[in-house]
Amino acid sequence: LRERNSRNHPWSRCAARSILMHVYADTSAVFALCHPADPFFTVVNKRDRRHRPQLFYPPWLRFEVRHSLTVHRGYEEGEAAWRALLASERSFVGVRENWLAVIQLAGDLSAQFGGQVLCGGMDVLHVASALKLEAAEFWTCDANQAEFASVYGLKVVDFSTAV
């Protein structure tokens, strides 16, 4: 729990204490959070500003986001997105987890539902990560990923419906 100073905080009458929410944002959501030309930039940033969650950031998410943004470097918005990611990474939650167990869970999920919902291998890995990390919410800009995550009971914030 993070306590707020009731004299200085503008919402002190609403909440004397707040719970820090942990969110798993997939690659599409983290990319949108950083890249001003992404069609979901505004809606993802609005939710991020409203809730100020801690974002889980496992190694494969870091790789996939950095790879995606590297492809967009070389022009002004791409460079701005890269700088935004580097600045944001300091606040993301680096987690220590039994990653082999996460990969095993991803394999189990894929075997169970992989053919019923359209999603890629990394999508399954993101859902498995969110489940293992017990994320309060799962953010995505991909309708197929949102459907797959909801099958497993994750509280999904599907930004693809907002644009």
Side-chain angles (χ1 to χ4, degrees):
L1 290 178
R2 177 177 61 186
E3 292 194 34
R4 294 181 172 161
N5 183 329
S6 60
R7 287 180 296 219
N8 298 329
H9 197 277
W11 302 305
S12 62
R13 287 185 290 266
C14 297
R17 300 166 77 79
S18 70
I19 297 174
L20 195 57
M21 180 171 58
H22 287 88
V23 167
Y24 192 98
D26 77 351
T27 306
S28 65
V30 176
F31 186 92
L33 191 62
C34 298
H35 202 296
D38 189 275
F40 302 102
F41 176 81
T42 302
V43 67
V44 174
N45 276 277
K46 181 178 178 182
R47 185 163 186 97
D48 182 61
R49 282 190 308 274
R50 188 175 339 129
H51 296 283
R52 292 287 182 205
Q54 288 289 300
L55 299 179
F56 287 124
Y57 204 52
W60 39 78
L61 178 59
R62 183 176 190 262
F63 166 75
E64 196 175 25
V65 169
R66 282 176 164 236
H67 172 74
S68 296
L69 284 173
T70 297
V71 171
H72 290 85
R73 291 187 73 185
Y75 60 97
E76 189 175 334
E77 289 174 333
E79 288 299 323
W82 181 257
R83 288 190 303 275
L85 174 68
L86 295 179
S88 297
E89 282 183 337
R90 293 184 206 123
S91 66
F92 293 167
V93 178
V95 290
R96 295 178 189 255
E97 181 62 51
N98 179 352
W99 297 123
L100 190 55
V102 174
I103 293 169
Q104 178 63 48
L105 176 59
D108 294 345
L109 300 180
S110 178
Q112 186 177 11
F113 284 107
Q116 297 174 22
V117 179
L118 295 175
C119 60
M122 289 301 291
D123 296 336
V124 177
L125 190 56
H126 291 310
V127 170
S129 298
L131 288 168
K132 276 290 196 185
L133 296 168
E134 299 178 355
E137 290 182 350
F138 183 87
W139 292 5
T140 185
C141 302
D142 178 341
N144 292 328
Q145 173 107 349
E147 180 183 353
F148 189 70
S150 66
V151 166
Y152 290 98
L154 290 171
K155 181 180 177 188
V156 177
V157 177
D158 179 8
F159 296 107
S160 70
T161 62
V163 174

